[in-house]
Amino acid sequence: MRIIQFFKGMAMGTVETVPGISSSTVAMLFGIYENIIDALHHLTTKKWKESLRYLLPILLGMAFGMGISVIVVHYLLENYNVQVHALFMGCILGMLPLIWQSGKKIGEHYQIKHFFIMALFFALILLLNFSLEETHFQIVDATAFDYMYLFLAGFLASIALVSPGISGALILMILGVYETALDALVQLDFKIIFVVALGVLVGILVTSKLIRYLIHTFRTASHAAILGLLSGSFFILFPKGSFTVLEFIVSLFILLITTFAVYRFSFRD
């Protein structure tokens, strides 16, 4: 069981360095998202040992997956950008029916207010994406303020880690520290890695409780928000720039196959 959790975590970590798709989205695909949120919540309770045993293989897998992602995924994005984005877009598109079904309470349907929430979060994710500027947080001689800013960036990115539809990498990009964090991983700059990771850890412990409360108390509304975020992410992932007719045909094929495969996997039970 733990080795399976490790591989699930590895899949989650692999996408986390890619702006646009969240590891939480992958967790939902594997059916472990709410278990993770519950386990994170119980880390600060008497059940922390049991929660840690559940989370540890997932976290180790995520760390390993992120290491692979830094090397492999970014190579693929540089050389097969359109095709890789089509793959991620297919993952999101194939998951939407599952999220829709999961948010419906027994005997109830989505109401007008839920569609408003979907539209609101759809617009929010697109607004965040369009707000991106060519801004990079450069560190030469890091000051205390620099490390405070990196900690804050990690804290805000953690919100995305526990919220399906928006990636931590996208938040870091908006704040201008994405390349700084990526370079730190490649160059093993442990000071920067530690500060950002600490911000992420503190943020996860805080925001996971809020997310858990929302899911358990306002399940349909929470899933409506997730649907809006995921739908917005689909358009964010649309590859920028020009591409050939062959790339379009291959990417469309990848998109359709991935969508079908993820849909079937989501409803495998």
Side-chain angles (χ1 to χ4, degrees):
M1 177 62 73
R2 290 189 178 183
I3 190 66
I4 295 176
Q5 299 295 72
F6 175 85
F7 284 114
K8 288 179 179 180
M10 189 171 70
M12 291 167 60
T14 300
V15 303
E16 195 51 56
T17 60
V18 181
I21 186 168
S22 169
S23 57
S24 294
T25 303
V26 178
M28 295 199 86
L29 175 62
F30 287 131
I32 60 173
Y33 174 69
E34 292 190 32
N35 292 338
I36 291 175
I37 293 297
D38 286 340
L40 289 170
H41 166 74
H42 288 303
L43 280 177
T44 54
T45 68
K46 294 180 179 180
K47 296 181 179 179
W48 69 271
K49 290 183 179 180
E50 179 183 341
S51 298
L52 189 60
R53 281 196 296 269
Y54 176 80
L55 289 171
L56 189 58
I58 296 175
L59 294 174
L60 290 174
M62 286 186 69
F64 188 74
M66 288 182 70
I68 293 176
S69 179
V70 169
I71 300 171
V72 178
V73 174
H74 281 274
Y75 168 81
L76 293 174
L77 284 171
E78 284 190 11
N79 294 276
Y80 304 98
N81 184 274
V82 180
Q83 296 90 330
V84 172
H85 277 82
L87 178 70
F88 290 139
M89 290 169 71
C91 288
I92 290 177
L93 201 59
M95 279 198 61
L96 292 178
L98 173 66
I99 309 303
W100 174 277
Q101 192 65 33
S102 298
K104 292 170 62 177
K105 294 182 180 179
I106 298 175
E108 294 186 13
H109 300 282
Y110 286 94
Q111 302 173 14
I112 293 177
K113 63 181 180 181
H114 298 130
F115 289 104
F116 175 77
I117 292 173
M118 290 180 203
L120 178 64
F121 279 85
F122 176 83
L124 175 63
I125 191 68
L126 291 182
L127 181 63
L128 284 174
N129 183 62
F130 291 145
S131 69
L132 286 174
E133 301 289 345
E134 291 297 323
T135 303
H136 303 304
F137 186 71
Q138 301 291 344
I139 293 182
V140 180
D141 295 315
T143 64
F145 175 80
D146 293 330
Y147 286 119
M148 288 175 61
Y149 186 78
L150 288 170
F151 176 87
L152 176 63
F155 184 92
L156 294 175
S158 72
I159 299 174
L161 278 171
V162 295
S163 304
I166 178 171
S167 71
L170 180 62
I171 295 295
L172 292 178
M173 186 173 283
I174 291 170
L175 296 173
V177 302
Y178 175 72
E179 290 192 8
T180 300
L182 194 60
D183 289 342
L185 286 172
V186 174
Q187 299 169 11
L188 296 179
D189 188 330
F190 292 109
K191 286 184 179 180
I192 293 178
I193 292 173
F194 175 78
V195 172
V196 175
L198 183 62
V200 170
L201 178 62
V202 173
I204 285 176
L205 292 175
V206 173
T207 56
S208 61
K209 294 182 178 295
L210 174 61
I211 296 295
R212 181 179 184 271
Y213 171 78
L214 291 175
I215 288 177
H216 285 273
T217 310
F218 306 101
R219 185 173 186 84
T220 305
S222 298
H223 280 72
I226 292 170
L227 282 166
L229 290 171
L230 283 174
S231 300
S233 295
F234 177 84
F235 291 98
I236 288 175
L237 284 170
F238 194 86
K240 299 175 177 63
S242 60
F243 41 83
T244 66
V245 175
L246 179 60
E247 284 179 326
F248 174 79
I249 294 173
V250 172
S251 299
L252 181 61
F253 179 76
I254 292 173
L255 173 66
L256 294 174
I257 292 297
T258 305
T259 300
F260 177 76
V262 170
Y263 173 79
R264 291 299 300 270
F265 182 81
S266 299
F267 291 96
R268 61 194 181 279
D269 295 331

